[in-house]
Amino acid sequence: FFRGHLIRREVFLYGVAATEIQKNWRCLHAVRVFTARCDLDKRRMAAIQVQKIWRGFSHHSNYISSIFSVIMIQRLWRLVLVRNENNKMKKGTLLLQSLCRGIQARKNLLELKMAAIQVQKIWRGFSRHSKYIS
């Protein structure tokens, strides 16, 4: 009976030791899994942060590019409008210049005509007077 008791006690102590080993192993394994999950969560959060920053940079770059394109289109359109306005003003200026030059030419022509008439008048008076005297 005593021998059986010693064997049962030894088996019991082996069971207690095995349970203690299992408990420590499971604790160690749980710590490793938790640490791995924390590392995974840190890596995941870092990846999400990098993706977020990249998306922000990419969208901002696209926005700046779009703004630049819009500004270029506006600049070219304003250039077209200014050129059209400039052409209209140039045509108007040319029309005014041609009208002024026409008026000046007609005025000069009238002055020349009046001077020619004056010369003719004087010449006719002189020629008639000299025929009358001779």
Side-chain angles (χ1 to χ4, degrees):
F1 177 76
F2 184 70
R3 222 166 128 197
H5 172 69
L6 287 177
I7 292 175
R8 281 192 295 277
R9 183 176 168 103
E10 189 177 338
V11 168
F12 175 74
L13 289 177
Y14 282 143
V16 168
T19 304
E20 189 67 25
I21 290 171
Q22 286 176 353
K23 181 178 86 169
N24 288 334
W25 172 251
R26 287 180 181 149
C27 181
L28 179 65
H29 183 67
V31 167
R32 286 180 181 168
V33 167
F34 179 74
T35 314
R37 283 187 183 161
C38 285
D39 286 345
L40 184 63
D41 285 345
K42 286 179 183 176
R43 288 180 185 165
R44 182 178 291 142
M45 292 305 291
I48 289 171
Q49 188 70 19
V50 167
Q51 289 172 354
K52 187 165 59 169
I53 290 171
W54 173 252
R55 268 193 225 108
F57 172 75
S58 176
H59 287 251
H60 183 70
S61 297
N62 290 340
Y63 174 74
I64 294 298
S65 176
S66 299
I67 291 295
F68 182 72
S69 298
V70 166
I71 289 172
M72 284 299 292
I73 290 170
Q74 287 176 345
R75 204 165 91 187
L76 291 173
W77 181 247
R78 287 180 184 142
L79 179 67
V80 167
L81 292 177
V82 166
R83 281 186 181 166
N84 288 342
E85 186 71 24
N86 191 17
N87 287 340
K88 286 179 186 177
M89 289 173 60
K90 198 173 191 179
K91 286 180 184 177
T93 304
L94 289 174
L95 180 65
L96 284 174
Q97 285 177 347
S98 65
L99 289 174
C100 288
R101 286 180 184 152
I103 290 170
Q104 284 178 346
R106 283 188 287 279
K107 185 178 173 186
N108 288 340
L109 181 65
L110 184 62
E111 287 176 4
L112 286 174
K113 195 174 182 180
M114 293 305 288
I117 291 172
Q118 190 71 24
V119 168
Q120 288 172 355
K121 204 159 98 177
I122 292 172
W123 177 253
R124 284 184 189 135
F126 175 75
S127 74
R128 297 248 166 108
H129 183 63
S130 51
K131 277 187 182 180
Y132 180 72
I133 294 181
S134 45

